[in-house]
Amino acid sequence: MTWIAIGHIDDIPVRGARCVKTPEGKIAVFRTAENEVFAIDDHCPHKGGPLSEGIVHGKAVTCPLHNWVISLESGEALGADEGSVRTISVRNEDGKLSISLESAVLAAAE
């Protein structure tokens, strides 16, 4: 498993997100109110909305386009909705964050 440094936990607002561009697409990295960090693909399974712009609550995010709720832990749509996004492993070592990807080339999202 290849770990890629993506920044510090303080770069992500509490109950917010930041994006990382990868050869595999945009990854949304979320920080919960409890300072847990999760990473998922940055597109809602419904209509492709930017999950990184959604509202973080508990261990879930609500898509800003059509209010689908996605679990940050499993990537699964919650409630009556069906669909999922890929989850990405995150490592937090004293606030320094890394994600695990098949591809090793990353660039910070704009």
Side-chain angles (χ1 to χ4, degrees):
M1 189 177 289
T2 303
W3 291 96
I4 309 299
I6 59 167
H8 197 274
I9 193 170
D10 292 336
D11 296 335
I12 305 170
V14 173
R15 295 189 340 221
R18 291 290 182 257
C19 282
V20 177
K21 287 184 183 178
T22 78
E24 300 170 11
K26 279 188 176 181
I27 305 295
V29 183
F30 296 89
R31 179 179 178 187
T32 69
E34 293 77 28
N35 289 316
E36 292 179 279
V37 181
F38 297 93
I40 59 175
D41 283 332
D42 188 30
H43 66 273
C44 181
H46 176 227
K47 298 278 185 178
L51 294 174
S52 61
E53 296 177 21
I55 297 170
V56 177
H57 45 96
K59 294 181 184 178
V61 61
T62 298
C63 179
L65 295 186
H66 300 105
N67 295 322
W68 275 42
V69 178
I70 307 298
S71 167
L72 296 174
E73 293 177 299
S74 69
E76 296 287 327
L78 302 175
D81 300 319
E82 294 182 14
S84 64
V85 295
R86 178 176 60 139
T87 60
I88 294 94
S89 297
V90 179
R91 184 167 61 187
N92 181 352
E93 295 178 323
D94 297 322
K96 297 175 186 172
L97 303 177
S98 302
I99 58 174
S100 175
L101 291 178
E102 298 298 319
S103 304
V105 180
L106 294 176
E110 297 176 6

